[in-house]
Amino acid sequence: MNAPLGLLRQPPTVLIGRGVRRSLPAHLPHGASRAVLVTDERMAGAADFIELKTLLEQNGTSVYLIGSVQAELPAADVVEAAKSIECEPDVIVAVGGGSVIDFAKVLAVLLAHGGVPQDYYGEFAVPGPTVPVVALPTTAGTGSEATPVAVVSDTNREMKVGISSPHLIPVAALCDPELTDSAPPSLTAVSGTDALSHCIESFTAVGREPIATLPAERVFIGKSPLVDLYALEGVRAVKRSLRNAVIGDRDAATLRTARDDMAFAALAGGLALGTGGTAAAHALQYPVGALTHTPHGAGIGALLPYVMAFNRPARVPEFAQLALALGAEDTGDAESLSYQAVEAVRALLAQIGIPATLADLGVAPGMHTWIAERASTARRLVENNPRELSVDSLAAITAAAHAGDMSILDDHPY
Ligand SMILES: NC(=O)c1ccc[n+]([C@@H]2O[C@H](COP(=O)([O-])OP(=O)(O)OC[C@H]3O[C@@H](n4cnc5c(N)ncnc54)[C@H](O)[C@@H]3O)[C@@H](O)[C@H]2O)c1
Ligand SMILES: [Fe+2]
């Protein structure tokens, strides 16, 4: 057997910890004097954001503010923003959730290379470096601060679409858990679920022939030993802290520790997915999100246990490792532990209020084939799944997730 191929693609600077946001001026590219500062309406009025804007101005950096990014990121909005910017910025600073950070990434592409987002859909379509992006996440979820992808909504398409290129990786990820303290329990739950899914999907992704040209052929190369490090640590952090981060009756110190840990989990998930890539749960969430207009992490959560039940037979040792990371006792029986991984994820998501089924999420009956057909077009995700995904198998996962019935996928008595 060949030696495994390891690959990391990550921001040159990653900083995590309470208060690190205040070091923002030190992480601007050398000599940067003009910044575009991107956020959404909620954050634009928040004291934390105003403090960051002031820090930039005191640093002598002129600031052009874009303060109204919409959740789930309509592609046309980025085109409008690119047209409105008259200066040539040296840096784009994003302060927000995945929608804001992805907006900044796409804006950075348009300002550097012109055109419209559609020109860059898919993998490796961005021709060169972009305006540098510094990302400060305010949700503990997407990991976008560390990834080479931005996901946009396009009114000409039925579902969201990705721009994937190593040029999209921010030059600095400043992960300050204090920025997530204001997130309500429901947002903490859906974003934490997204982080968990990034760890699980990259840890169980396909492993490709470890040839040296692979990173030039694919932005996301699948499972690798380096991906595994981040993925497993992220799952452990989610196990330790997602419940405490969501459930509101914890004392302040517990809540704070849990939010810190979830910021770490989200970053670890971003570092894992940024090289390994995600798979079936993400492919299916795209059409589910288009149908229901529900948050990315909510759809992911309604799908993840069923995707896991489908994939489990192809990844028994990995699922056993996941079970241990999720708190199972090590019996040495990998088959039995692998089932426990599915059960542990389902139980955890139920505890934090994630919809248990696609029906609970608002998907109408009879949409299985429609969802499966669209999911099957997300090739980079479908090809990254450890079990082959046909339209039929995607429809079976969808049917199971809609009915809340694992027996459609596996006769194990879950
Ligand atoms: N690029 C990537 O690697 C990647 C990975 C996964 C998901 N995504 C994308 O990211 C987007 C979802 O991002 P998200 O889950 O971070 O949410 P989001 O950025 O869409 O924000 C959701 C809502 O939460 C609010 N919010 C954000 N931070 C808050 C805080 N600290 N306190 C209170 N409210 C806050 C926002 O104002 C918004 O109303 C989707 O478009 C998804 O497709 C991108
Ligand atoms: Fe995701």
Side-chain angles (χ1 to χ4, degrees), residues 141-143 151 193-195 197-198 201 273 278 282 285-286 296-297 300:
T142 70
V151 189
T193 301
D194 193 24
S197 75
H198 298 159
E201 292 216 277
L273 104 80
T278 51
H282 278 73
Q285 191 279 328
Y286 283 178
H296 173 72
I300 290 288

Side-chain angles (χ1 to χ4, degrees), residues 40 42 97-99 102 138-139 142 144 147 149 160 179 182-183 187:
D40 59 23
R42 180 203 68 85
S99 300
D102 285 4
T138 64
T139 57
T142 70
S144 179
T147 71
V149 58
K160 291 177 87 171
L179 293 175
S182 54
L187 178 61

Side-chain angles (χ1 to χ4, degrees), residues 132-157:
V133 172
V134 175
L136 293 89
T138 64
T139 57
T142 70
S144 179
E145 65 274 13
T147 71
V149 58
V151 189
V152 301
S153 306
D154 182 335
T155 47
N156 297 319
R157 300 213 172 192

